Structures are given as structure tokens and as C-alpha cells.
């Protein structure tokens, strides 16, 4: 990996209108960023994304490494689950330790010792969630850090520059995440602002072989606004397209209705990414509607709160029913948590507040998600997607194994 040259740190105090123009890095030997569709089964797609930092087999789930780490996991463990790409968070990394510092240290992949591709979100979702600590205008957003109250400025140009400094394989356009619920006129204004920011993001992005910029479809739950957003983004032209503004409180059926109206409009030769959607059942439904990429904190956050995902649904290891249970968490799972430890021991770790408990459950949950995606890919390749989905859903609906007699 080539270390980028040192970059000067800019702050709002230096120049509120400052735009950092990142240095070029030598990626001449990298393959071009390319999505290849290998098979379909209904609307479900099997594909491969070639990037400068390695391939991504799709459909794929991206573990979330918010602050440069997938919580409770070493990078080697994340890779061992089958994950090929992780997500980093622009907002958190710009505040601590700082994008310029990460660039001086060789970029995010080297900084966190992750060998594969990294997708960085734009910071828009986190900034927009700071409703009492931020001020939005046409140019961008001024906000206060949740860490120390310091003032910062994010614009499309600055967001793209930060992601360049981080060395992102996939950079996300800066957008405003439309809240739910939102009236049609509010959703329309928010979406159109995001489209203007998308155009500025495209102009600010520095092309490098094998690295990509994705646009983000917005428009709330309104089909006409989603269509308008897709038309605007495809006219600008991006390497991939994300569907944003979902999993923000809308009913499950609304999310599926939006996906059904959006995915057929997206270019067939570009990857499609559903942002922040992470229940296994929701991932299955989205794959069936033509989505390729997913991310969510759910498997890692759940692991830290004693929740485990299994082929028979979610298991709460805090429950007393597990205290004397010598059986594995999931006897079909080959992860170390299921192979080497009993439910009784996991229950003990959780109740005792031992850090090994969240570590084992997080590792198991990520393995479950990667196994889920591998099974979906195999089913699409073999033309048995519908039957495979029926079997998955039957397992989830069955509920956990009966307690020990």
C-alpha cells in the first residue's frame, strides 16, 4: 500500500469556506472499479464488484467499523467470517482521530489493519441526527461535536475530501437523510437539496482506478420523489447507487414498497446498496428486490447486549433458561462461539459482565450474517432462491429450540 503524502489539517477557524483539495495517490496498477452481474433468480442478483483493494461478492453484508474498528473484533477475525468489505464512518473519524492524521499514517485501511475494501459514509446521517447541535443551509452543515462541543463544517466538498484522505474504496455522496415522517413538500425540499449536493460531490471527487463514488437516492416514502431522485442521480452519473432514508422508523411494508419502486429504475450494470438495513429478514426481502450491498450495526450492537442471531431466530442469552444448558448456541454454525462454548457458559459471561461474552456473541452474529449472504449467493447461482428463502423464513419463524427438560 502506498502511503499518501502528509496533508495540512483545516479547521472551521482557519477558513469557514476552505475546501481541501486532496493529493493524488498512485493507483495506476489497480483494476478499474466494475460490477459484473453473474446470475439472476427473479429480481435477486448474483454479482462481483472489482475494486482497487479486492473483490466483493454480492449480495454482501458490510460489518460496520464506525471509528476504525468493528467493535469487539480484530480485523483478522472479521475477515475469517467471510466479510470482504467493512464500513467506516466519516463523521466519527473526522472528529477523532482526524482524517488528516489518518492520511499521514497511510489511510484507514493501513491504520486499522484491514486488507480489503472500505466504504465510508458521507457523515450526512450522523450530522442530520444532531438536530439540536447543527445548522443546515444550502452550502452545507455547521454542527457541534458530540464529544467536546467544538464547531465543525461539512459541505459536499469537505465530505468528499475527508473520504479521500481516509483512502475510501467506495466514497458516498454527501446528502441529507430525510426524516420519517415527513410531509411531501418537506421530503421534496430535502431530496432536491441532496441532489444539488450530489452534483457537487461528483465534481469534487478525484477519480482513481478501482475506487468509486456512489450517489444516494432520497425522497422519503414518496414514489414520485424517489423517481425524480433516481433520474437526477443517473443524469449526473455514479459508479453505484444507494437507497437512503429507509430504516428510519417507517413500517416494514413501506420500506419494501419503496424498494419495489426504486430498484427497477437503477442502472443494471452498477451495484445497489441499501443503507442501514440489517435484520436478516429485511436483508432477505431486499435481496429478492434486487439489492446487492448492506450494512448495519445490528449484529455487533446485538452481540454487546446478549442478543444472538441463529437459524431459529433471535436468542437472548440473559434469560435464565440457558443457565444449565450444555448445548451450543446454534448447532448448524461452525463459528468458535458455537463450536467451543455452551449456552450455559455464554449465559454466565453475560450475567457476570465479562467482556468475553460480547466478543463471542459479536463474532457469532457476524458469522451468521456472512453465512446468510453466502447461502443467498449460492441459491441465486443454482436457481433455487425462492425455495431457499422459504426455508430460511421457516427456520426464523420456528423460534428457539425448547428449553432443557
Amino acid at each position: 500500500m502506498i502511503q499518501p503524502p502528509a496533508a495540512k489539517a483545516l479547521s472551521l477557524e482557519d477558513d469557514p469556506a476552505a475546501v481541501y483539495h486532496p493529493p493524488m495517490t498512485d493507483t495506476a496498477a489497480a483494476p478499474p472499479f466494475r460490477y459484473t452481474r453473474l446470475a439472476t433468480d427473479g429480481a435477486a442478483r448474483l454479482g462481483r464488484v472489482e475494486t482497487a483493494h479486492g473483490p466483493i461478492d454480492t449480495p454482501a453484508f458490510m460489518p460496520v467499523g464506525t471509528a476504525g474498528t468493528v467493535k469487539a473484533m480484530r480485523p483478522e477475525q472479521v475477515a475469517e467470517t467471510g466479510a470482504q468489505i467493512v464500513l467506516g464512518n466519516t463523521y466519527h473519524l473526522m472528529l477523532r482521530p482526524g482524517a488528516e492524521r489518518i492520511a499521514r499514517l497511510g489511510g484507514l485501511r493501513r491504520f486499522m489493519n484491514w486488507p480489503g475494501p472500505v466504504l465510508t459514509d458521507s457523515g450526512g446521517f450522523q450530522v442530520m441526527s444532531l438536530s439540536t447541535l447543527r445548522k443546515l443551509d444550502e452550502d452545507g452543515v455547521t454542527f457541534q461535536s458530540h464529544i467536546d462541543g467544538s464547531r465543525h463544517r461539512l459541505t459536499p466538498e469537505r465530505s468528499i475530501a475527508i473520504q479521500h484522505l481516509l483512502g475510501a474504496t467506495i466514497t458516498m455522496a454527501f446528502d441529507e437523510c430525510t426524516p420519517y415522517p415527513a410531509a411531501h413538500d418537506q421530503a421534496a425540499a430535502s431530496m432536491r437539496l441532496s441532489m444539488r449536493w450530489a452534483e457537487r460531490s461528483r465534481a469534487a471527487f478525484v477519480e482513481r482506478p478501482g475506487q468509486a463514488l456512489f450517489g444516494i437516492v432520497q425522497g422519503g416514502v414518496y414514489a414520485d420523489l424517489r423517481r425524480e431522485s433516481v433520474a437526477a442521480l443517473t443524469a449526473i452519473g455514479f459508479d453505484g447507487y444507494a437507497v437512503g432514508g429507509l430504516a428510519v422508523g417507517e413500517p416494514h411494508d413501506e420500506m419494501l414498497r419503496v424498494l419495489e419502486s426504486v430498484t427497477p429504475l437503477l442502472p443494471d450494470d452498477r451495484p445497489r446498496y441499501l443503507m442501514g438495513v440489517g435484520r436478516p429478514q429485511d436483508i432477505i426481502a431486499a435481496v429478492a428486490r434486487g439489492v446487492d450491498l448492506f450494512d448495519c450495526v445490528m449484529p455487533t450492537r446485538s452481540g454487546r447486549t446478549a442478543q444472538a442471531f441463529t437459524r431459529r431466530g433471535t436468542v437472548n442469552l440473559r434469560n435464565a433458561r440457558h443457565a444449565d444448558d450444555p448445548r451450543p448456541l446454534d448447532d448448524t454454525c461452525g463459528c468458535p462461539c458455537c463450536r467451543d462454548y455452551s449456552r450455559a457458559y455464554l449465559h454466565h459471561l453475560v450475567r457476570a459482565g465479562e467482556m468475553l461474552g460480547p466478543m463471542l456473541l459479536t463474532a457469532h452474529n457476524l458469522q451468521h450474517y456472512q453465512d446468510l449472504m453466502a447461502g443467498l449467493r449460492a441459491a441465486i447461482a443454482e436457481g433455487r432462491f425462492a425455495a431457499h428463502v422459504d426455508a430460511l423464513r421457516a427456520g426464523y419463524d420456528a423460534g428457539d429450540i425448547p428449553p432443557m427438560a
Side-chain angles (χ1 to χ4, degrees):
M1 188 186 302
I2 297 172
Q3 183 167 342
K8 177 184 182 293
L10 291 181
S11 69
L12 185 62
E13 289 72 21
D14 293 331
D15 179 358
V19 175
Y20 174 70
H21 296 285
M24 291 291 289
T25 55
D26 183 7
T27 56
F33 184 92
R34 181 176 63 248
Y35 170 79
T36 303
R37 190 185 66 185
L38 301 174
T40 59
D41 191 348
R45 305 174 358 138
L46 176 72
R48 170 167 274 213
V49 182
E50 301 288 346
T51 82
H53 304 137
I56 309 161
D57 295 308
T58 63
F61 179 82
M62 301 179 283
V64 176
T66 300
T69 174
V70 177
K71 285 182 171 58
M73 298 283 287
R74 291 182 294 109
E76 298 89 340
Q77 292 175 297
V78 177
E80 286 166 4
T81 68
Q84 296 171 297
I85 177 172
V86 298
L87 183 144
N89 186 277
T90 291
Y91 167 82
H92 288 281
L93 292 169
M94 70 175 279
L95 294 179
R96 185 170 57 193
E100 287 81 7
R101 174 172 287 135
I102 291 174
R104 290 194 296 270
L105 293 168
L108 182 57
R109 295 171 59 247
R110 177 175 290 177
F111 187 59
M112 66 183 289
N113 193 34
W114 173 253
V118 171
L119 181 148
T120 50
D121 65 10
S122 70
F125 177 82
Q126 286 74 26
V127 170
M128 300 312 162
S129 69
L130 301 171
S131 57
T132 61
L133 300 175
R134 53 94 171 169
K135 182 178 180 181
L136 174 72
D137 56 50
E138 176 67 31
D139 183 60
V141 185
T142 301
F143 64 95
Q144 286 182 270
S145 165
H146 72 285
I147 298 170
D148 60 10
S150 58
R151 293 174 67 243
H152 299 266
R153 179 78 173 165
L154 263 184
T155 64
E157 293 79 11
R158 179 59 178 156
S159 172
I160 297 300
I162 290 169
Q163 294 177 79
H164 185 109
L165 287 166
L166 296 175
T169 313
I170 299 174
T171 294
M172 299 304 299
F174 190 59
D175 69 327
E176 181 188 19
C177 182
T178 306
Y180 179 87
H184 188 278
D185 57 349
Q186 179 188 3
S190 173
M191 179 273 291
R192 288 166 187 153
L193 176 63
S194 289
M195 297 306 99
R196 295 191 294 275
W197 285 357
E199 193 162 12
R200 290 167 56 190
S201 297
R202 175 82 264 182
F205 181 70
V206 177
E207 297 283 352
R208 289 143 292 157
Q211 293 169 267
L213 176 66
F214 282 23
I216 304 174
V217 180
Q218 291 289 355
V221 296
Y222 302 102
D224 62 320
L225 298 182
R226 292 284 180 170
R227 287 193 298 270
E228 181 181 335
S229 180
V230 170
L233 292 173
T234 52
I236 296 168
F238 289 90
D239 303 300
Y241 295 87
V243 181
L246 294 177
V248 292
E250 79 284 350
H252 176 75
D253 290 347
E254 286 273 36
M255 182 192 77
L256 297 183
R257 183 181 58 79
V258 169
L259 283 179
E260 288 165 359
S261 69
V262 168
T263 52
L265 304 177
L266 296 174
D268 192 56
D269 62 346
R270 306 295 165 92
R272 304 162 179 175
Y273 165 29
L274 179 57
M275 304 180 76
V277 171
R279 284 195 324 138
Q281 296 90 332
D282 293 338
I283 290 174
I284 292 166
V287 169
R289 289 159 175 80
V291 176
D292 306 307
L293 295 169
F294 302 86
D295 81 281
C296 192
V297 298
M298 189 168 288
T300 48
R301 180 176 291 169
S302 296
R304 300 193 303 277
T305 58
Q307 307 295 312
F309 294 94
T310 77
R311 64 186 173 89
R312 296 174 66 99
T314 306
V315 175
N316 184 349
L317 271 303
R318 288 190 181 278
N319 289 347
R321 59 164 285 186
H322 305 295
D324 294 300
D325 195 334
R327 296 173 296 181
L329 177 58
D330 186 338
D331 62 8
T332 67
C333 178
C335 79
C337 177
C338 293
R339 186 187 66 224
D340 299 332
Y341 302 97
S342 68
R343 290 181 174 220
Y345 183 63
L346 296 171
H347 171 78
H348 159 70
L349 293 175
V350 168
R351 300 291 291 190
E354 291 290 340
M355 67 175 66
L356 182 58
M359 292 168 63
L360 289 172
L361 292 177
T362 297
H364 164 77
N365 284 346
L366 288 178
Q367 187 66 65
H368 179 81
Y369 271 64
Q370 295 305 326
D371 289 349
L372 170 66
M373 306 315 293
L376 293 171
R377 291 193 296 268
I380 297 168
E382 296 165 11
R384 52 180 180 84
F385 180 74
H388 182 67
V389 168
D390 286 345
L392 287 172
R393 288 174 172 158
Y396 288 140
D397 291 343
D400 194 17
I401 56 177
M404 293 288 291

